[in-house]
Structure formats: C-alpha cells, structure tokens
C-alpha cells in the first residue's frame, strides 16, 4: 500500500536542480516513467521500474492499462490497513539495524549487482539471489536480533552486523556473477 514519496533534503547542494527533478517526477512524464510498462510511450525503454505513482489522480482509467502494476491500487487498499503501533514501535531499532546491514553497509555490492542485473536483462537465477531475504524475518527480528540489540553489547551487535552484511554481500556477489553468466 506504499507509494513512492519524494522530498528535498534540507541543505541540499543544488536545491534548484533537486526541485526541478521533483517537479519532473511528480509530473505526468515522471509518473509514466516510474509506473508504465516498458516500450509504451512515456514508459521506460527496456525494464519496468515498478514504482507506484504517488499522485492519486494518476490511477485513472487512461493510465491503469499502461501500468506495470495496475492491480496495485494503494489508495483503495489503505482502507483495509490497520496500523498497530504496539506491533511496530518496538521494532524500529531492529528495522534501522537491518536497513544498515542489508542496504547501507553493502551498498557498493548491491549497486554493482543491480547494474549487472539490468545489463543482463534480469536473469531469473540472478534475481533470486538479489532479492533473497530469507535471512531476515519478523520472527528473527523480534527474537534474536532484538535480544542482541537490547543487550547493549556492542561486540555482539557488531558480530551480528558483520555476519548479516557478509551474507547479503555474498548474495549480491552471487547475483552479479549469475547475471554476467545470463542465469
């Protein structure tokens, strides 16, 4: 149910350029590029970007047939969504930790794998490694990860971070290798 928001960071070095980019993304051309199927006029040339438009008015009868994920109607699906603060609030630190070890600490490997996937036209086996998240789950986050983070034992936390980022780094490397081999 989440659409892709966009914003300008305070103190951005090129606020005029950033503002122009935001205006483009929020305009019809940008929303088409983010959400349309490849090859459709206004859409991406080669690979669907699969981003849900943030503009509610973009989910029109004219645009929906052109969209890669036309059945995803986030503004309609939000009616069925009930946020349970007591379920998520205790997990914020663990979520921050997981984002760091799965995306930030391994960002270079992730970017390289993504470039290889794009260049190879997204081979299935390579995508499987890239998107593999079985190492983390709600249960492990709520259990062992939370216990480690709550313990305030920095050595334990660093060891867990190294282990997880190493596993994700290995998956991104496998994704890159498989993409280069066309698998």
């Amino acid at each position: 149910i989440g659409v892709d928001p966009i914003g300008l960071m305070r103190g951005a070095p090129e606020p005029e350029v950033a503002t122009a980019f935001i205006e483009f993304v929020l305009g019809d051309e940008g929303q088409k590029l983010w959400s349309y199927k490849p090859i459709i006029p206004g859409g991406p040339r080669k690979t669907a970007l699969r981003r849900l438009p943030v503009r509610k008015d973009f989910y029109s009868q004219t645009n929906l047939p052109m969209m890669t994920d036309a059945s995803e109607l986030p503004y309609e699906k939000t009616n069925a969504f009930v946020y349970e603060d007591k379920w998520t609030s205790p997990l914020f630190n663990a979520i921050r930790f997981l984002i760091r070890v799965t995306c930030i600490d391994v960002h270079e490997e992730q970017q390289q794998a993504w470039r290889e996937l794009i260049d190879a036209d997204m081979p299935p086996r390579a995508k499987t490694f890239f998107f593999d998240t079985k190492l983390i789950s709600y249960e492990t986050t709520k259990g062992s990860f939370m216990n480690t983070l709550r313990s305030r034992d920095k050595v334990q936390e660093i060891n867990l971070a190294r282990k997880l980022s190493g596993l994700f780094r290995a998956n991104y490397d496998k994704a890159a290798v498989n993409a280069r081999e066309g698998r």
Side-chain angles (χ1 to χ4, degrees):
I1 63 169
V3 297
D4 286 321
I6 192 168
L8 176 62
M9 300 287 281
R10 185 179 359 181
E14 303 278 347
E16 297 83 19
V17 175
T19 300
F21 178 71
I22 290 170
E23 288 172 357
F24 168 77
V25 168
L26 294 177
D28 283 344
E29 288 179 59
Q31 295 289 282
K32 288 176 183 178
L33 184 61
W34 285 132
S35 64
Y36 273 19
K37 298 171 189 170
I39 309 204
I40 289 181
R45 291 183 195 151
K46 194 173 178 183
T47 304
L49 300 177
R50 305 195 78 132
R51 311 305 333 150
L52 295 177
V54 69
R55 286 184 23 212
K56 192 174 187 176
D57 69 314
F58 200 78
Y59 294 87
S60 68
Q61 295 307 313
T62 304
N63 290 327
L64 284 171
M66 312 294 186
M67 292 169 59
T68 304
D69 297 304
S71 64
E72 295 302 320
L73 302 169
Y75 292 101
E76 290 179 21
K77 291 181 177 184
T78 58
N79 297 329
F81 181 76
V82 177
Y83 177 72
E84 295 287 348
D85 184 57
K86 65 183 177 222
W87 294 349
T88 55
S89 290
L91 296 174
F92 281 145
N93 283 337
I95 292 168
R96 276 189 214 105
F97 173 79
L98 290 174
I99 289 170
R100 189 186 90 214
V101 300
T102 62
C103 298
I104 297 170
D105 292 352
V106 296
H107 190 66
E108 287 180 33
E109 293 86 352
Q110 187 183 49
Q111 281 186 312
Q112 180 61 37
W114 188 246
R115 277 192 293 272
E116 300 278 354
L117 281 162
I118 290 169
D119 290 347
D121 253 352
M122 300 288 180
R125 183 172 164 83
K127 280 186 359 186
T128 300
F129 283 115
F130 188 87
F131 292 112
D132 182 5
T133 58
K134 69 178 169 276
L135 300 169
I136 54 176
S137 67
Y138 180 75
E139 289 76 25
T140 55
T141 300
K142 194 173 160 193
S144 60
F145 298 164
M146 286 292 293
N147 292 339
T148 299
L149 297 174
R150 277 194 202 121
S151 76
R152 303 231 187 265
D153 181 338
K154 288 298 177 186
V155 172
Q156 260 190 322
E157 186 177 325
I158 289 169
N159 286 337
L160 178 59
R162 271 193 196 146
K163 175 184 174 186
L164 287 174
S165 62
L167 293 169
F168 275 88
R169 185 173 283 115
N171 273 355
Y172 294 138
D173 289 343
K174 289 175 192 172
V177 167
N178 277 273
R180 281 192 296 273
E181 294 173 357
R183 298 185 292 151

